[in-house]
Amino acid sequence: MKIAIASGKGGTGKTTLSTNLADLCAERKDFPGIILADMDVEEPNSGLFIQREVQKEIIRNKMIPQWDKDLCSNCGVCDSICRFNSLLKLGKTILVMPELCHSCYACSELCPENALPMQMQKMGRQTIFNTDSFIFIESRLDVGQEQAVPLIAQSIEYIDSKYPKDFLVLLDSPPGSSCPVIEAAKNSDFVILVTEPTPFGLHDLKMAVNTMREIKKDFAVVINRFGIGNDAVIRYCSDEKIDIIAKLPDKREIAELYSKGKLVHRDVPEFGKELKKVAKYLKRLSDRRNNQ
Amino acid sequence: MKEVVVISGKGGTGKTSITASFAVIGRDNIVVGDCDVDADDMHLLLEPDYKSTEDFYSGYTAVIDQEKCTACGKCMDVCRFKAVDNKIGKFEINSADCEGCGYCCVICPEKAITMQDAYVGEVFISGIKTGTEMVHARLKAGADNSGKLVARVKKIAGEIAKKDGKDLILIDGSPGIGCPVISSLSGADFVILVTEPTPSGIHDLKRVFELIQKFKIRSGLIINKHDLNLELSAELKDFAKNEGIKVLAEIPYEPDFTKAMTEGFTVVEYNNKTLKKILTEAWAEAEKEIYKEVIK
Amino acid sequence: MRIAFTTKGKDWDSQMDPRFGRTDYIFLYDDESEETLIEDNTAIQNAAHGAGPQTAKKLFDLSPDILITGNGPGGNAAEVLKKSELKIYIGAGNMTVKEAYSAFKEGRLDAN
C-alpha cells in the first residue's frame, strides 16, 4: 500500500511525520516491510533524520536532443517548434538547454535531417539505503533541473517493480499543489495531508484539498503543532467530512529535536501517542483494502 | 523606486509573517506583491479588498476541433505525456496532463489541433490595511507557478508604485530555486533572506544564495527562531559574514508569531514589545542597506 | 563599437530595465555611426519559462560588442551569451539609458 504524505504549504511537518511514522511502523510490524521514499526531489530532507547505509545508487536520466552538427542543414525547424525555449538556433549552432527541455521529442522527430537524436542525460539519482528497521529511498534532482515530475514517476515505478505489494510505502511528497505533488499523489492509494491549525495552514489545506478532489484521490488530515492557532481547521474538516487522523502536539522540545536532526516519537510521549493513531489508521486502511 | 524581495528557500520559516510585518512598519510608502503563489498567505494578514481582477494565462494547452478531426490517432501516437484520450473514436486532450509542447498540433494532418493559452488563475489588485495596495494571485488547483506570473505581479506592483509615487515595492518571493524564484529576484535591488537554524534551513539557504550571487544583488539575513539551536545559528552568522551578507535580525522562537497570525494580525500589531522592537529595527537596518548608494 | 542596453522605453531618457530576460526593449547604439536601433522585446511577457535564453538569442542575432544591464543574466541566458563574443556590464538598473552610457564610458560599471 502506498501512502503519499503531502501538504499545501512547506514547513508544516511533512518530513517530521514521514520519518517518525516510518520508524514507528517498522517497530510495530503491522506490515511485512516498510519503505520511506523521499519524493521532495528538489529538497530531499528526510535523510537528515535517518541513520543509514547506502545499498544501491541508480542514476536517473531523461531524454534530451543531442545536436549532430554534421547532419544539420541549419533549417531552424527545431527552434520554431520548441515551445519551452529550451532549444535555440544561434547562427549556425543549435544550443540545447537540457534543464528547460520537457522531453516531448518534437524537435527530434520532426528534424528533416535526423540531426537531433534523443539521448539520455542525467537529471538526478535515486539512492536505496538500508537502515536498522526499514528501507529508505531518496530521489534527488540535480541542481538547475526544472522538471521534477519525470524523476518522481521513475522513482515510483522502480518501487512498484521491486517490492511486494503488501509493503507499506510512505512517499514524503513535494510541497505545494502543483504537478510534482500530483504525480506522487496519483500514484498512491491514499494521501495524508499535513497541516497546522492556523489561518495559513487552513488556507493552504483548502488548496491541497481542492487538488485532491480534482484528481479524485482519497485523503485524510494530520494536524501538526496542535495547540497553536485556533479550531478553524477542525471545523473545516468536520464541515467537509474529512477525517482527522491525529493531532501531533506543539512543543518547543520537538522543534529542538528537529533542529538537531533527531526523531521525536520515542523521546516525546505525547507525540508518540498521537503518531500511533496514524500507524493504526494505516493498518485499518490496509485491512479494509485487503478484504475488498 | 526600489524593489525588495524576501525569500527563504525552505517553507515554514516565517517569511510571509515577516514580510507582512515590514509592510505594516513601512506603511504607506510600500506597494506589496505576493509572488509566493503556491502558498499565497499574505492576504490573511493584510486585509485585501480584491478591487480588481484579471484572468491569467500561462503556457499552452492543445485543443482538438472535433469538426475537423478524422480520428487518425497521430496525436495520440506522438504525445509523450499521455494527454490524448481516445473515447470510442473521439479524441480529446486531457488538459491536466497536456504540457503544451505543441507536437500534436504540428503533426495533425487535418490541422484540427490548435494551441490555446492555458488559463491558470487570477491576478488581483487590492487596497490593503496599510493604506496602500497589494498585487497578488490565486492559481487554480494543480496549476504551476511560473516566471511569467511572478513577472506580471511585479510589473503591476511597479506600475502602481510609479503612479502613486511610492518609493518601495516589497515582494514576498517564491520558494525553491527554479524559474519563479529567478523571476522574483530579477530586477531586485535588495534581497532579505529568512531562515531558521535547522539542517534543512541552512541547506536551502545556501542553495538559494548561489542564485543571488549570480545576480549580484546585495542581501540581508534574518534568522528566525534563532535560539532553537544556537550552534547552527552561529554557523549561519559565520556564513553571512563570509559572504558579506548583513545580519538584519535574530528573532527568538516565540509563540506570539502564530498567535498574532491566528487573529489576522502581523506580529508588529500584536502586544509583544520585544518582537515589535526587533522587527522595527530590522526594517530600519534593511532600509539603510536598500538606500545605500554604491558609489565608486 | 555597438552597445546594447536593456530598457523600459525607446529613448535616451528612458529608464533602464534591470531585468535581462524579461526586459521590455533592447536599445542598441553604435557609437561610431551614432545610430540607434530599438528592438521591441515586450512579447517576452508571454513566455512562461525560458525568457532569459530567448532574449539572449535576440542579442546573439543583434551581435553587439557590449551589453549593459541591471542584475545580469541568469544561468541559462548566460550559457547562450557565451556563444556571442560580447562583454557584459551590470549595475545600471536604476539609471536612465543616458546615465548608464556615461557610467559605462567613465568606467563606473562592473564587468559581469
Side-chain angles (χ1 to χ4, degrees):
Chain A
M1 185 172 69
K2 270 179 295 177
I3 307 292
I5 297 176
S7 70
K9 140 183 207 300
T12 57
K14 232 170 355 81
T15 300
T16 306
L17 176 65
S18 310
T19 49
N20 283 282
L21 187 59
D23 196 54
L24 176 69
C25 287
E27 195 179 283
R28 289 170 56 88
K29 300 197 166 51
D30 287 336
F31 295 87
I34 308 287
I35 298 167
L36 171 61
D38 195 342
M39 292 290 146
D40 189 358
V41 296
E42 285 185 31
E43 302 287 0
N45 284 330
S46 289
L48 299 169
F49 300 87
I50 297 163
Q51 294 291 325
R52 61 205 200 272
E53 211 166 273
V54 178
Q55 190 215 330
K56 188 173 170 184
E57 192 172 274
I58 308 159
I59 300 298
R60 291 291 173 205
N61 300 299
K62 67 175 190 179
M63 301 302 285
I64 60 149
Q66 205 89 34
W67 180 54
D68 184 335
K69 71 168 189 293
D70 297 332
L71 293 177
C72 180
S73 64
N74 236 271
C75 68
V77 165
C78 48
D79 183 320
S80 67
I81 285 171
C82 180
R83 285 177 180 262
F84 305 112
N85 294 332
S86 62
L87 186 150
L88 297 173
K89 177 173 177 286
L90 299 170
K92 291 205 160 128
T93 310
I94 302 294
L95 183 67
V96 178
M97 276 154 290
E99 299 87 14
L100 294 174
C101 176
H102 288 228
S103 308
C104 75
Y105 284 67
C107 61
S108 177
E109 294 176 0
L110 294 171
C111 171
E113 318 295 342
N114 288 321
L116 286 163
M118 296 298 277
Q119 290 184 2
M120 285 202 292
Q121 204 224 22
K122 179 167 176 277
M123 65 171 159
R125 59 175 196 269
Q126 186 177 15
T127 316
I128 322 293
F129 299 92
N130 283 327
T131 77
D132 291 343
S133 45
F134 57 87
I135 299 159
F136 173 57
I137 299 176
E138 181 192 85
S139 301
R140 184 181 287 269
L141 206 59
D142 288 347
V143 174
Q145 292 286 342
E146 295 232 336
Q147 312 296 324
V149 171
L151 179 57
I152 295 171
Q154 286 183 26
S155 299
I156 296 177
E157 248 166 58
Y158 175 83
I159 294 171
D160 286 345
S161 69
K162 288 282 174 190
Y163 299 98
K165 292 269 171 283
D166 55 359
F167 274 32
L168 175 68
V169 182
L170 300 172
L171 302 172
D172 185 355
S173 308
S177 310
S178 60
C179 301
V181 67
I182 289 175
E183 188 65 29
K186 78 178 183 200
N187 287 299
S188 303
D189 299 294
F190 191 81
V191 179
I192 294 177
L193 297 174
V194 189
T195 189
E196 287 179 358
T198 63
F200 286 11
L202 175 61
H203 174 72
D204 300 336
L205 174 65
K206 284 180 183 169
M207 303 222 290
V209 166
N210 284 343
T211 304
M212 291 310 140
R213 287 185 172 153
E214 184 109 357
I215 62 170
K216 301 188 175 63
K217 199 45 83 173
D218 290 332
F219 61 92
V221 164
V222 167
I223 299 179
N224 189 30
R225 300 189 66 208
F226 184 70
I228 61 167
N230 56 20
D231 63 356
V233 166
I234 293 179
R235 274 188 280 127
Y236 167 75
C237 289
S238 129
D239 290 347
E240 297 283 326
K241 303 200 167 38
I242 299 167
D243 276 354
I244 296 175
I245 309 172
K247 299 163 187 163
L248 304 170
D250 177 54
K251 286 195 86 176
R252 189 185 164 110
E253 196 186 343
I254 297 172
E256 281 176 4
L257 285 166
Y258 175 87
S259 83
K260 290 177 187 143
K262 286 187 176 151
L263 291 180
V264 181
H265 71 102
R266 285 195 195 86
D267 292 344
V268 186
E270 306 97 298
F271 183 95
K273 192 174 132 232
E274 285 298 310
L275 193 69
K276 261 187 205 124
K277 292 185 186 169
V278 186
K280 286 182 181 165
Y281 188 95
L282 295 183
K283 171 68 175 144
R284 281 202 303 278
L285 198 66
S286 125
D287 290 346
R288 222 181 306 145
R289 294 176 58 86
N290 291 338
N291 290 334
Q292 268 170 13
Chain B
M1 190 171 64
K2 301 283 182 182
E3 186 177 305
V4 179
V5 182
V6 187
I7 53 173
S8 70
K10 177 187 183 303
T13 58
K15 169 176 67 77
T16 300
S17 291
I18 290 168
T19 310
S21 296
F22 289 161
V24 168
I25 294 166
R27 291 214 74 87
D28 52 4
N29 203 13
I30 293 180
V31 176
V32 181
D34 190 352
C35 293
D36 188 358
V37 285
D38 294 313
D40 60 319
D41 292 325
M42 206 128 74
H43 69 282
L44 297 163
L45 298 175
L46 295 177
E47 296 173 12
D49 60 7
Y50 298 89
K51 64 181 178 189
S52 107
T53 304
E54 68 176 37
D55 285 344
F56 189 76
Y57 298 83
S58 182
Y60 305 93
T61 192
V63 177
I64 301 179
D65 181 346
Q66 297 299 338
E67 300 275 299
K68 291 186 187 162
C69 176
T70 59
C72 71
K74 284 213 167 93
C75 50
M76 199 167 181
D77 294 343
V78 300
C79 179
R80 291 303 195 288
F81 310 104
K82 302 188 186 92
V84 186
D85 285 337
N86 179 1
K87 292 178 180 158
I88 333 166
K90 190 183 174 201
F91 287 82
E92 276 177 4
I93 306 285
N94 179 357
S95 62
D97 289 325
C98 176
E99 297 254 331
C101 71
Y103 195 172
C104 58
C105 166
V106 180
I107 205 87
C108 176
E110 309 301 328
K111 298 202 170 20
I113 304 179
T114 47
M115 299 306 290
Q116 300 186 354
D117 290 340
Y119 171 77
V120 291
E122 292 168 310
V123 177
F124 310 108
I125 301 174
S126 292
I128 50 173
K129 70 181 177 190
T130 59
T132 60
E133 284 171 296
M134 165 160 97
V135 187
H136 47 137
R138 174 131 336 126
L139 293 172
K140 66 168 193 172
D144 271 322
N145 191 4
S146 64
K148 183 183 177 185
L149 179 52
V150 168
R152 180 77 194 137
V153 167
K154 288 183 22 165
K155 189 177 172 71
I156 299 173
E159 284 165 2
I160 293 171
K162 199 170 172 192
K163 173 171 68 75
D164 297 347
K166 307 292 182 197
D167 284 344
L168 227 149
I169 306 170
L170 181 64
I171 302 288
D172 192 5
S174 315
I177 51 168
C179 192
V181 74
I182 291 178
S183 195
S184 300
L185 291 171
S186 178
D189 296 286
F190 191 70
V191 180
I192 298 175
L193 295 153
V194 180
T195 191
E196 57 180 28
T198 62
S200 37
I202 292 190
H203 174 253
D204 297 357
L205 176 79
K206 286 184 178 165
R207 264 173 62 131
V208 84
F209 185 71
E210 280 178 35
L211 266 184
I212 295 172
Q213 270 184 314
K214 213 174 261 173
F215 283 113
K216 301 199 168 61
I217 310 172
R218 286 177 306 125
S219 56
L221 176 68
I222 292 178
I223 308 174
N224 196 11
K225 310 174 200 169
H226 84 101
D227 51 344
L228 266 187
N229 188 325
L230 293 171
E231 216 173 294
L232 292 187
S233 275
E235 194 182 321
L236 281 168
K237 277 186 279 183
D238 279 347
F239 172 74
K241 201 175 161 193
N242 291 335
E243 301 292 349
I245 308 168
K246 171 99 186 166
V247 177
L248 301 170
E250 293 171 69
I251 304 174
Y253 181 82
E254 175 51 75
D256 276 353
F257 248 99
T258 317
K259 283 185 191 156
M261 180 244 279
T262 305
E263 291 172 35
F265 293 115
T266 62
V267 71
V268 290
E269 296 164 290
Y270 202 68
N271 191 19
N272 183 318
K273 290 203 177 92
T274 320
L275 285 183
K276 184 172 180 177
K277 183 161 175 277
I278 293 174
L279 283 162
T280 310
E281 285 171 6
W283 181 245
E285 278 298 314
E287 274 193 313
K288 263 191 238 162
E289 292 293 316
I290 293 161
Y291 291 107
K292 191 152 88 183
E293 284 299 321
V294 187
I295 303 159
K296 279 205 195 64
Chain C
M1 190 169 56
R2 298 169 74 232
I3 306 163
F5 303 81
T6 58
T7 64
K8 287 184 190 288
K10 301 181 198 174
D11 49 58
W12 283 103
D13 292 319
S14 303
Q15 280 296 315
M16 290 287 290
D17 197 324
R19 302 170 304 176
F20 175 74
R22 292 183 187 276
T23 182
D24 286 338
Y25 299 93
I26 298 168
F27 182 105
L28 199 66
Y29 176 61
D30 187 327
D31 68 357
E32 281 144 36
S33 66
E34 296 191 358
E35 278 170 41
T36 58
L37 181 111
I38 312 295
E39 177 79 14
D40 190 335
N41 197 46
T42 47
I44 203 73
Q45 286 175 26
N46 293 322
H49 294 275
Q54 200 61 35
T55 301
K57 177 191 156 85
K58 245 183 206 160
L59 217 57
F60 178 92
D61 294 338
L62 295 169
S63 63
D65 305 290
I66 304 285
L67 166 68
I68 297 175
T69 183
N71 293 146
N76 281 315
E79 209 47 48
V80 179
L81 288 175
K82 270 188 209 154
K83 302 274 171 192
S84 342
E85 285 177 10
L86 87 176
K87 275 199 177 136
I88 303 171
Y89 291 86
I90 59 167
N94 279 316
M95 304 176 182
T96 63
V97 184
K98 204 189 281 167
E99 287 163 357
Y101 180 64
S102 32
F104 163 71
K105 278 290 188 198
E106 290 155 20
R108 285 187 283 124
L109 296 178
D110 283 333
N112 192 28

